[in-house]
Every structure is written in structure tokens, then in C-alpha cells.
Amino acid sequence: MGSDRRVSRRSFSRWSLAGLLLPAGACRAGVEQRGVAGTSSPPERSKVVVARDEKVRSGRSRLDEARVLDLLDRSLQALYGCDSPSEAWRRVAGLGKVIGLKVNCLAGKGASTHRVLVEAVCERLQQAGVPAKNLIVWDRLSSDLESAGFRINERGNKPRCIGNDIYGYDSELMAYGRVGSLVCNTLTRRCDAVINLPVLKDHSIAGVTIALKNFFGAIHNPNKYHLNVGDPYVADAYMLEPIRTKARLHICDAFNVQYEGGPSYLPQWSWPYNGLLVSADPVALDSIGRRIIEEKRAAEGFPSLKDQKREPTYIATAADKDHRLGIADPGRIDVVEV
Amino acid sequence: MTVDKTSRAPLLDQAPGDLLPAELLGRHDGGKEALPALDRRGFLKAAALPCLACGLGGAAVFIPRLQAARAKVDESRFVREARFYEKQPYKKIKCVLCPRECVIDDRERGYCGARENRGGTYYTLVHSRVCSAHIDPIEKKPFFHVYPGTTAFSIATAGCNVNCKMCQNWEISQVRPEQVRSVYLPPRELAALARQNGCKAIAYTYTEPVIFYEYMVDSADAGHAEGVKSVVVTGGYINRKPLEELCRHVDAIKVDLKAFSEKYYEEIVNGKLKPVLDGLVTIKSRGMWTEIVYLVVPTLNDGDDEFRGLAKWVKAELGPDVPVHFSRFHPEYLLKNLPPTPLKTLERAKAIADSEGLHYVYLGNVPGHPAESTYCPRCHKKIIDRVGYLVRSVHIKKGRCEFCNQEIPGVWGS
């Protein structure tokens, strides 16, 4: 995990100084409407920030680090309703002492969470006061992380980067609904909070895989839960206590959107969307993400997910009275474009 | 998948340390634990003693635990191209080994967790990858009409193609191969170990042998070359073509018929009933010896109608001589909220099956019950006397009752 970007640090310092002019906690109320997982009183509305930058690529496919940072800053500022990015990042840094970053690297380079994005998040969190060693980038397998360009690291004054195959799984079987699983130790024992960094992708079985389904990478037996288009399994898995209580923020990597053929990387159906989807509500994020995929599929002449008998009904299930993980109704989601 | 309470594999922590094959395990846990060295003969001998001495056969030889792999492991030796799959466009594959017929994207695995699509080619990840091994009485499988009083070298690899809520062995059946400790035990070595330890057969059991089909078939062939039989303990969730081929390689197949309703299979097993029934008919039609175990779970599959429906179906489709074992449930895994099966329920099931004309109806997991023994359907005398898994006497000669000369179906040997 490299983090040597002087330009971005300088710019961040400027924002930080600006942030000091505001009293702590000056963010506006928007942040409080996040989908509070499993609580008895879900929010009336949720917010999803859609941030795009057509110039985010410095080359044909390479992402420009400074622009990624800028996009990220604008997204968080908009999500939390703050007047400065530094204040927003302080809010993020306050999520927990040790913060996990759950990426999605199953598809290797091309359809995985970009390393540039993860490095940007790590950099900003460090600047906001989180020690590097208190950041853990994780996914199911170390080999998946490596295939997506990450370097495994367990020690030193750098963010940790490691797969569940190294840290293992908690011995306590956890169950909710139709799911019974062991949850990875990274989540149960090492992290106080998790920032979810999924990818915006079509999924050949579950319809889409975005924020909710990314936590299949936290359990030991995800292969058991793709039945019935993942419904209710995706929602049930998210209800497992460590996932439900520790996943606080969702930053969806939508620089490339796999709108057909997912979850594998198939370049002919990879769309350079050049953006991020950010929310505290995983259900709302999935709902908006699904809409983006559906619209692109329609534009490209593909049938809807429903017509292909893989409508991701688990999104609505995640919002039902038994789960209350967030809001699925697009009419109750404020989409903020920045 | 075994449903026998006493066949549950104990955790590594519960196993005597000196039974662990250090020279094998050491390669897989990255040297995490320093285990005493023991050669194969030594460890098998040591392992077999408590199994056989207790008469119930329960001690671990090597047993897995969900683990973190601290060191790189050479997994290539476990990986073989799978059989029974179809290639599809865009590097997808369709597995046709079991009725689930998973369509799997590149870099993904099937429902079983033991087979993986790598670049459009499907691989088994568990060939020769043994995660549990015991030397068990063959009655523990249970086979009551197959070489009574002998032992079976019983093995499993990780994974299963269903997900039963009452699974006794979920810690190995509901995990991926890399999540448990395993040893490399290729077919010829397995067969040699079985023979050297006086086992009449190799038993493929504990998890679901369908998911290690290639290893099972290769091991069965290797076993026959050593004069060792092969018996299969399965949920029977397998497609017809691979099942027919399997019947050409093994000597007996015991099927766990989980219930006699699709609802139960859907809600408790995460599978379907019909393919299992079709499979039983196929097994019978191939002349393969089969026995059926029915785990009776209180309130879920213990109705009179279900028992009667099962018995009628077995008699009509398979014949009255196919043994049916009604086995006692113990709360495990995701069904800890239910009590053990009352003995009266089991006896009711047996009474119904007897009344429908089945000749060999047994009760399982109730040591000492008279219904553990075999009775001649003609003279009604006890012809195999069992207590638990211990066979005290056999009165069958050349496949016939010693008292009345009635033919007794089974695989008795010479």
C-alpha cells in the first residue's frame, strides 16, 4: 500500500485548515439518515451520492490518483453534508479505532476494487488520524487480493492487507434466517468498523453484486447461498451481527461497471462509468446501483434482469420488516450527484 | 453425509495428540503445531486401537478444524480436471455431476465448494485430499447386510452438495477444502493402508462422496487391485449418468433418504427428493446392494403418513428386501432447538414399515435395542446379533439362514 502523494496531501492540508474553522460535528443532518442496520426504526429516507469524473483516467485505463482523491473527497463531503472534506473524513475516521476496508477482488484486475481507490481511502484516513497499522484491507483470499494488484502485508507501519485464509474464521456459528455461517476473524476480532468497497457488477446468478452481497466475502460458505437468486440469503447474511453492526460506510467502485457477464471480468461488457457510489445505506446503494446497471443493459439491448429470471429481489428483502437494513424504494432515496 | 451421532468427527483439539500423523499434517498447517513424528503403520495402529476397543469406533485418526493457513501449501496435487461438466461460452461451465447442475463463472465454485472453474475448465480440488479418516466397524455406516463384523477404512474430503440443517459433520461438510486440515492420500496408498490394516472395505463417508467422485472412483479401482472392496455412504444426490458409472466401480451404496417429502428437502436439506428416489431406483436396477437410512427428526419428518409412504414406495420400487434403518436424531448444527428423537417415535416408524411388508427394518443410534439385530423373515430367529456396532454372532451361511435355509439378501462374502 503506497501512500506517497505530496500534491494530494497539500491539498488535503488546505481542506483540513478550512475544516478547523468549523466546530466539530458541524456536518449537516444528512449523515444521520443512514440505514441503521436491523434497528426498529429505519430512516424515512436515505442518501446515495453518485460522483463521476469523465477525466478520472490519465491514460487509456489508468486512474489518475489525484482525481480519484478529489472524487472521493467530494463524495464524502456530500454524503455527510459537511462544508469541508477534512470534516467528512474525521467523521469517517471516528467510525472505529481499527477500520477494515472490505474490497472485492474475486474477478482479478478489471472487475475488482481498484487499488488506487483503496490507497486513497487509506491516505485520507491516516491524514484524519487513523494510524496506518489500524487499517486492514481484506477480502476472502490473499490470492484474490494479489491478483487484483494488492500486496499482502501483516506488519510494519503500513495498512494491513490480508485474506480471510490467513486470519481464519471465528469458531462460533452464527445464524439468521436461512443462513448459518462462520464469520471471518478480521471482522469479528480485529475491526471495530468496516468501510465496504464493493464493485458495481452484474451477477449471473444473483442479478447484481454490489454492497450487500460483498459481505459474502466475510463468511466461510458463500457457495451455499446463491440459491433462489440469493434471496433471502444475501439479506440474511448481512444480518449476522458482526456484519450488520460494523459495516458503516459503503464506497462502491464504479470506475468500471460490469453490466453483463459478471461477476467475471469480460471487457466487452465493461463500461467506463468513471464514478463512485457512496452511501451509509447498503440497501439504497444497491437499489441505485441496480438501476444504473439496468439502464445500461437496456441501452445496450440486453433484457432486464427480471426477464432473465435473475432479478435481485434480495435488495427488497433487505429492506423488509424482518431485516430493516435500509431503504430499497427509489422514491425514498435522495440521489446526490456531484 | 453421515447422520449418525457417533460418527461425528471430533475436533482436532479433542483428539489424542499422538494419533496425529505429524509427517502428513506438518505439510498442511505450515508447521503451526509441532506434532510428534509417527509412521503410517504406527499411527494407524494407534488409531485403530481405541476405535475397535470401544466397540463403537469413534476415535479420530486425523481430524480437521477450520483453520487459517499460515503458509503456502502446494495444492496442485489435489487438483484434477473434473468429470461430468459442460463448457459454455465466456469461460462458463455447467456441472452435470449432481441434480443441482450449477452454472459457474470463471474463478467461481459450485455449491459444493469443492469444484472450481479456472479459465473455463472445471477442476476438483479434493482429489486425494483427505480431511477425516477412521477405521470403523462397517455397521457404523451403517451397512447391516455387507460383510458383518468387518471394518471399513472410512475417509472424507471437505464439501457437500446439500446443506442439511441437522448435519453432524458440518465442520467438514459445509466448508471449503482449504478451510480444514487435510492430508494427501492418493488412491494406491489409501488402498494399501486399508489392506494393511485388515479392512474389508474402503468407505467413502462423513461428508458427501459425490463431490469427490473422481477420487472415489480411482480409489475403488485401486482398492480392488488390493482385494479391498468399496462402499459408499451418500445422500444420493447425483445425476443418473455418473451414478450408473459409479455402480460399475463400487460394491455397495447406502443412501441417506432424508425424508419422504419435497418440502423437507427444500427447507431442511436444500435439495430435492425426486432425484434421490430416482437414484435409488437406478442403484437397484444396476444390481448394486443398497441400504437406506432415514433420520427421524421430531416434528419435521416423523408423521405416520410419511413413514407409510416411504415403506410403500420402497416395497414397490426397490423390493421388500432393501434394509431400512430408522435412525435417531440428535440436535446439531442449525437444528439445536429440537430434542432427540423419542424412542417411541422410532418404534412407531418400524412398526409401520414392518406392517407394510418390509423384511429388514432397523433402528439406529439406540444401542442395545433389539431392532439393531437381523431376524430371518421366514423363521423369525435372530440371525445377526448386534449390540451397538458390535456383532456378537452371525447365523448366515452362504447367504442363507442357518436355521431355515431362507435366502438372506446382502453381500456376505465367502
Short mmCIF file of all heavy atoms in Angstrom, two decimals, chain A residues 296-334:
data_model
loop_
_atom_site.label_atom_id
_atom_site.label_comp_id
_atom_site.label_asym_id
_atom_site.label_seq_id
_atom_site.Cartn_x
_atom_site.Cartn_y
_atom_site.Cartn_z
N LYS A 296 -28.16 0.72 -18.26
CA LYS A 296 -27.10 0.46 -19.25
C LYS A 296 -27.42 -0.79 -20.06
O LYS A 296 -27.20 -0.82 -21.29
CB LYS A 296 -25.76 0.28 -18.52
CG LYS A 296 -24.59 0.01 -19.45
CD LYS A 296 -24.32 1.14 -20.41
CE LYS A 296 -23.08 0.88 -21.25
NZ LYS A 296 -22.88 1.92 -22.29
N ARG A 297 -27.94 -1.80 -19.40
CA ARG A 297 -28.30 -3.02 -20.12
C ARG A 297 -29.36 -2.73 -21.18
O ARG A 297 -29.26 -3.19 -22.31
CB ARG A 297 -28.84 -4.08 -19.13
CG ARG A 297 -27.79 -4.65 -18.20
CD ARG A 297 -28.41 -5.64 -17.22
NE ARG A 297 -29.05 -6.75 -17.92
CZ ARG A 297 -28.41 -7.80 -18.38
NH1 ARG A 297 -27.11 -7.90 -18.19
NH2 ARG A 297 -29.05 -8.76 -19.02
N ALA A 298 -30.35 -1.93 -20.78
CA ALA A 298 -31.42 -1.58 -21.74
C ALA A 298 -30.84 -0.80 -22.91
O ALA A 298 -31.19 -1.05 -24.09
CB ALA A 298 -32.49 -0.77 -21.02
N ALA A 299 -29.93 0.12 -22.60
CA ALA A 299 -29.34 0.93 -23.67
C ALA A 299 -28.52 0.08 -24.63
O ALA A 299 -28.41 0.39 -25.82
CB ALA A 299 -28.46 2.02 -23.04
N GLU A 300 -27.96 -0.99 -24.12
CA GLU A 300 -27.12 -1.87 -24.95
C GLU A 300 -27.92 -3.02 -25.56
O GLU A 300 -27.36 -3.91 -26.20
CB GLU A 300 -25.96 -2.43 -24.12
CG GLU A 300 -24.99 -1.37 -23.62
CD GLU A 300 -24.21 -0.69 -24.74
OE1 GLU A 300 -23.98 -1.34 -25.77
OE2 GLU A 300 -23.87 0.50 -24.57
N GLY A 301 -29.23 -3.02 -25.30
CA GLY A 301 -30.08 -4.03 -25.91
C GLY A 301 -30.17 -5.35 -25.16
O GLY A 301 -30.65 -6.36 -25.72
N PHE A 302 -29.76 -5.37 -23.94
CA PHE A 302 -29.88 -6.59 -23.14
C PHE A 302 -31.23 -6.62 -22.43
O PHE A 302 -31.76 -5.57 -22.04
CB PHE A 302 -28.76 -6.67 -22.10
CG PHE A 302 -27.42 -7.02 -22.67
CD1 PHE A 302 -26.48 -6.03 -22.93
CD2 PHE A 302 -27.10 -8.33 -22.98
CE1 PHE A 302 -25.24 -6.35 -23.47
CE2 PHE A 302 -25.87 -8.65 -23.52
CZ PHE A 302 -24.93 -7.66 -23.77
N PRO A 303 -31.77 -7.78 -22.23
CA PRO A 303 -33.02 -7.88 -21.48
C PRO A 303 -32.82 -7.48 -20.01
O PRO A 303 -31.69 -7.47 -19.52
CB PRO A 303 -33.41 -9.36 -21.58
CG PRO A 303 -32.16 -10.06 -21.94
CD PRO A 303 -31.30 -9.10 -22.68
N SER A 304 -33.91 -7.15 -19.37
CA SER A 304 -33.81 -6.79 -17.95
C SER A 304 -33.41 -8.02 -17.13
O SER A 304 -33.56 -9.17 -17.57
CB SER A 304 -35.15 -6.26 -17.45
OG SER A 304 -36.08 -7.32 -17.39
N LEU A 305 -32.94 -7.75 -15.94
CA LEU A 305 -32.58 -8.86 -15.06
C LEU A 305 -33.80 -9.70 -14.73
O LEU A 305 -33.71 -10.92 -14.59
CB LEU A 305 -31.93 -8.31 -13.79
CG LEU A 305 -30.61 -7.54 -14.01
CD1 LEU A 305 -30.15 -6.89 -12.70
CD2 LEU A 305 -29.53 -8.47 -14.55
N LYS A 306 -34.93 -9.06 -14.60
CA LYS A 306 -36.17 -9.79 -14.32
C LYS A 306 -36.50 -10.73 -15.47
O LYS A 306 -36.87 -11.90 -15.25
CB LYS A 306 -37.32 -8.81 -14.08
CG LYS A 306 -38.61 -9.48 -13.67
CD LYS A 306 -39.67 -8.45 -13.34
CE LYS A 306 -40.95 -9.13 -12.84
NZ LYS A 306 -41.98 -8.13 -12.48
N ASP A 307 -36.37 -10.22 -16.68
CA ASP A 307 -36.66 -11.08 -17.84
C ASP A 307 -35.70 -12.25 -17.92
O ASP A 307 -36.02 -13.29 -18.50
CB ASP A 307 -36.58 -10.25 -19.13
CG ASP A 307 -37.77 -9.31 -19.27
OD1 ASP A 307 -38.76 -9.49 -18.53
OD2 ASP A 307 -37.71 -8.37 -20.09
N GLN A 308 -34.53 -12.05 -17.38
CA GLN A 308 -33.54 -13.15 -17.39
C GLN A 308 -33.66 -14.03 -16.15
O GLN A 308 -32.78 -14.86 -15.89
CB GLN A 308 -32.13 -12.57 -17.48
CG GLN A 308 -31.81 -11.99 -18.86
CD GLN A 308 -30.31 -11.87 -19.10
OE1 GLN A 308 -29.54 -11.59 -18.19
NE2 GLN A 308 -29.90 -12.11 -20.34
N LYS A 309 -34.74 -13.80 -15.40
CA LYS A 309 -35.03 -14.59 -14.19
C LYS A 309 -33.89 -14.50 -13.16
O LYS A 309 -33.55 -15.47 -12.48
CB LYS A 309 -35.30 -16.07 -14.54
CG LYS A 309 -36.49 -16.25 -15.47
CD LYS A 309 -36.87 -17.69 -15.56
CE LYS A 309 -37.90 -17.98 -16.63
NZ LYS A 309 -38.99 -17.01 -16.75
N ARG A 310 -33.32 -13.33 -13.08
CA ARG A 310 -32.31 -13.11 -12.04
C ARG A 310 -32.45 -11.70 -11.46
O ARG A 310 -31.46 -11.03 -11.20
CB ARG A 310 -30.90 -13.39 -12.55
CG ARG A 310 -30.48 -12.65 -13.80
CD ARG A 310 -29.14 -13.17 -14.32
NE ARG A 310 -28.70 -12.42 -15.48
CZ ARG A 310 -27.78 -11.47 -15.45
NH1 ARG A 310 -27.20 -11.16 -14.31
NH2 ARG A 310 -27.41 -10.85 -16.55
N GLU A 311 -33.68 -11.33 -11.27
CA GLU A 311 -33.94 -10.05 -10.63
C GLU A 311 -33.43 -10.10 -9.18
O GLU A 311 -33.78 -11.03 -8.43
CB GLU A 311 -35.45 -9.75 -10.63
CG GLU A 311 -35.78 -8.40 -10.02
CD GLU A 311 -37.29 -8.17 -9.96
OE1 GLU A 311 -38.04 -9.16 -10.08
OE2 GLU A 311 -37.69 -7.01 -9.78
N PRO A 312 -32.65 -9.14 -8.77
CA PRO A 312 -32.08 -9.18 -7.41
C PRO A 312 -33.09 -8.80 -6.34
O PRO A 312 -33.02 -7.74 -5.72
CB PRO A 312 -30.93 -8.17 -7.49
CG PRO A 312 -31.34 -7.21 -8.54
CD PRO A 312 -32.15 -7.98 -9.54
N THR A 313 -34.02 -9.69 -6.11
CA THR A 313 -35.10 -9.42 -5.15
C THR A 313 -34.57 -9.35 -3.72
O THR A 313 -35.28 -8.89 -2.82
CB THR A 313 -36.17 -10.51 -5.25
OG1 THR A 313 -35.53 -11.80 -5.14
CG2 THR A 313 -36.91 -10.44 -6.58
N TYR A 314 -33.35 -9.80 -3.52
CA TYR A 314 -32.80 -9.74 -2.16
C TYR A 314 -32.65 -8.30 -1.68
O TYR A 314 -32.58 -8.04 -0.48
CB TYR A 314 -31.47 -10.48 -2.08
CG TYR A 314 -30.33 -9.86 -2.86
CD1 TYR A 314 -29.63 -8.76 -2.37
CD2 TYR A 314 -29.93 -10.39 -4.08
CE1 TYR A 314 -28.59 -8.18 -3.08
CE2 TYR A 314 -28.88 -9.84 -4.79
CZ TYR A 314 -28.22 -8.74 -4.29
OH TYR A 314 -27.18 -8.17 -5.00
N ILE A 315 -32.60 -7.35 -2.61
CA ILE A 315 -32.47 -5.94 -2.20
C ILE A 315 -33.74 -5.52 -1.45
O ILE A 315 -33.66 -4.90 -0.37
CB ILE A 315 -32.21 -5.04 -3.43
CG1 ILE A 315 -30.90 -5.45 -4.11
CG2 ILE A 315 -32.16 -3.57 -3.00
CD1 ILE A 315 -30.62 -4.72 -5.42
N ALA A 316 -34.88 -5.86 -2.01
CA ALA A 316 -36.13 -5.53 -1.32
C ALA A 316 -36.26 -6.30 -0.01
O ALA A 316 -36.75 -5.78 0.99
CB ALA A 316 -37.32 -5.83 -2.24
N THR A 317 -35.81 -7.53 -0.03
CA THR A 317 -35.86 -8.33 1.20
C THR A 317 -35.03 -7.68 2.30
O THR A 317 -35.42 -7.68 3.48
CB THR A 317 -35.34 -9.76 0.91
OG1 THR A 317 -36.19 -10.36 -0.07
CG2 THR A 317 -35.34 -10.61 2.17
N ALA A 318 -33.90 -7.12 1.93
CA ALA A 318 -33.04 -6.47 2.93
C ALA A 318 -33.72 -5.28 3.57
O ALA A 318 -33.34 -4.86 4.67
CB ALA A 318 -31.73 -6.04 2.28
N ALA A 319 -34.73 -4.76 2.89
CA ALA A 319 -35.43 -3.59 3.43
C ALA A 319 -36.72 -3.97 4.15
O ALA A 319 -37.38 -3.10 4.73
CB ALA A 319 -35.74 -2.62 2.29
N ASP A 320 -37.08 -5.23 4.14
CA ASP A 320 -38.39 -5.60 4.68
C ASP A 320 -38.39 -5.53 6.21
O ASP A 320 -37.37 -5.25 6.84
CB ASP A 320 -38.85 -6.97 4.15
CG ASP A 320 -38.04 -8.14 4.71
OD1 ASP A 320 -37.31 -7.96 5.71
OD2 ASP A 320 -38.15 -9.24 4.14
N LYS A 321 -39.54 -5.80 6.79
CA LYS A 321 -39.69 -5.61 8.24
C LYS A 321 -38.85 -6.58 9.05
O LYS A 321 -38.57 -6.34 10.22
CB LYS A 321 -41.16 -5.75 8.63
CG LYS A 321 -41.75 -7.11 8.36
CD LYS A 321 -43.21 -7.14 8.78
CE LYS A 321 -43.88 -8.46 8.42
NZ LYS A 321 -43.19 -9.66 8.91
N ASP A 322 -38.44 -7.67 8.46
CA ASP A 322 -37.61 -8.62 9.19
C ASP A 322 -36.13 -8.24 9.17
O ASP A 322 -35.36 -8.73 10.00
CB ASP A 322 -37.77 -10.03 8.60
CG ASP A 322 -39.16 -10.57 8.80
OD1 ASP A 322 -39.78 -10.23 9.84
OD2 ASP A 322 -39.65 -11.30 7.92
N HIS A 323 -35.75 -7.44 8.20
CA HIS A 323 -34.33 -7.10 8.08
C HIS A 323 -34.03 -5.63 8.40
O HIS A 323 -33.08 -5.35 9.12
CB HIS A 323 -33.84 -7.44 6.65
CG HIS A 323 -33.88 -8.89 6.32
ND1 HIS A 323 -35.05 -9.52 5.92
CD2 HIS A 323 -32.93 -9.85 6.36
CE1 HIS A 323 -34.78 -10.81 5.73
NE2 HIS A 323 -33.51 -11.03 5.98
N ARG A 324 -34.79 -4.74 7.82
CA ARG A 324 -34.63 -3.29 8.11
C ARG A 324 -33.19 -2.83 7.96
O ARG A 324 -32.66 -2.08 8.78
CB ARG A 324 -35.12 -2.98 9.52
CG ARG A 324 -36.60 -3.26 9.74
CD ARG A 324 -36.97 -3.04 11.20
NE ARG A 324 -38.36 -3.36 11.47
CZ ARG A 324 -39.35 -2.50 11.40
NH1 ARG A 324 -39.12 -1.24 11.05
NH2 ARG A 324 -40.60 -2.88 11.67
N LEU A 325 -32.58 -3.26 6.88
CA LEU A 325 -31.17 -2.89 6.68
C LEU A 325 -31.02 -1.57 5.94
O LEU A 325 -29.90 -1.08 5.77
CB LEU A 325 -30.45 -4.00 5.91
CG LEU A 325 -30.25 -5.30 6.70
CD1 LEU A 325 -29.78 -6.43 5.77
CD2 LEU A 325 -29.24 -5.09 7.81
N GLY A 326 -32.12 -1.02 5.46
CA GLY A 326 -32.04 0.23 4.74
C GLY A 326 -33.27 0.42 3.88
O GLY A 326 -34.30 -0.24 4.08
N ILE A 327 -33.17 1.29 2.92
CA ILE A 327 -34.30 1.64 2.07
C ILE A 327 -34.05 1.18 0.64
O ILE A 327 -33.01 1.49 0.05
CB ILE A 327 -34.54 3.15 2.11
CG1 ILE A 327 -35.05 3.54 3.50
CG2 ILE A 327 -35.50 3.60 1.03
CD1 ILE A 327 -35.24 5.01 3.70
N ALA A 328 -35.01 0.43 0.10
CA ALA A 328 -34.89 -0.06 -1.26
C ALA A 328 -35.73 0.75 -2.25
O ALA A 328 -35.45 0.75 -3.45
CB ALA A 328 -35.30 -1.54 -1.32
N ASP A 329 -36.73 1.42 -1.75
CA ASP A 329 -37.65 2.17 -2.62
C ASP A 329 -36.94 3.39 -3.20
O ASP A 329 -36.59 4.32 -2.45
CB ASP A 329 -38.85 2.59 -1.78
CG ASP A 329 -39.82 3.48 -2.57
OD1 ASP A 329 -39.62 3.63 -3.80
OD2 ASP A 329 -40.74 4.02 -1.94
N PRO A 330 -36.73 3.43 -4.51
CA PRO A 330 -36.02 4.57 -5.10
C PRO A 330 -36.69 5.90 -4.80
O PRO A 330 -36.03 6.94 -4.75
CB PRO A 330 -36.04 4.27 -6.60
CG PRO A 330 -36.22 2.79 -6.68
CD PRO A 330 -37.09 2.42 -5.52
N GLY A 331 -38.00 5.87 -4.58
CA GLY A 331 -38.71 7.11 -4.28
C GLY A 331 -38.34 7.69 -2.92
O GLY A 331 -38.66 8.86 -2.64
N ARG A 332 -37.70 6.90 -2.10
CA ARG A 332 -37.30 7.39 -0.78
C ARG A 332 -35.78 7.50 -0.66
O ARG A 332 -35.22 7.52 0.42
CB ARG A 332 -37.85 6.45 0.30
CG ARG A 332 -39.37 6.49 0.41
CD ARG A 332 -39.88 5.36 1.29
NE ARG A 332 -39.27 5.38 2.60
CZ ARG A 332 -39.16 4.31 3.38
NH1 ARG A 332 -39.59 3.13 2.95
NH2 ARG A 332 -38.60 4.41 4.57
N ILE A 333 -35.16 7.53 -1.81
CA ILE A 333 -33.69 7.66 -1.81
C ILE A 333 -33.31 8.97 -2.50
O ILE A 333 -33.71 9.23 -3.64
CB ILE A 333 -33.02 6.47 -2.55
CG1 ILE A 333 -33.40 5.15 -1.86
CG2 ILE A 333 -31.51 6.66 -2.58
CD1 ILE A 333 -32.99 3.92 -2.64
N ASP A 334 -32.57 9.80 -1.82
CA ASP A 334 -32.07 11.04 -2.41
C ASP A 334 -30.75 10.74 -3.12
O ASP A 334 -29.76 10.39 -2.47
CB ASP A 334 -31.83 12.08 -1.32
CG ASP A 334 -33.13 12.46 -0.61
OD1 ASP A 334 -34.17 12.53 -1.29
OD2 ASP A 334 -33.10 12.63 0.63
#
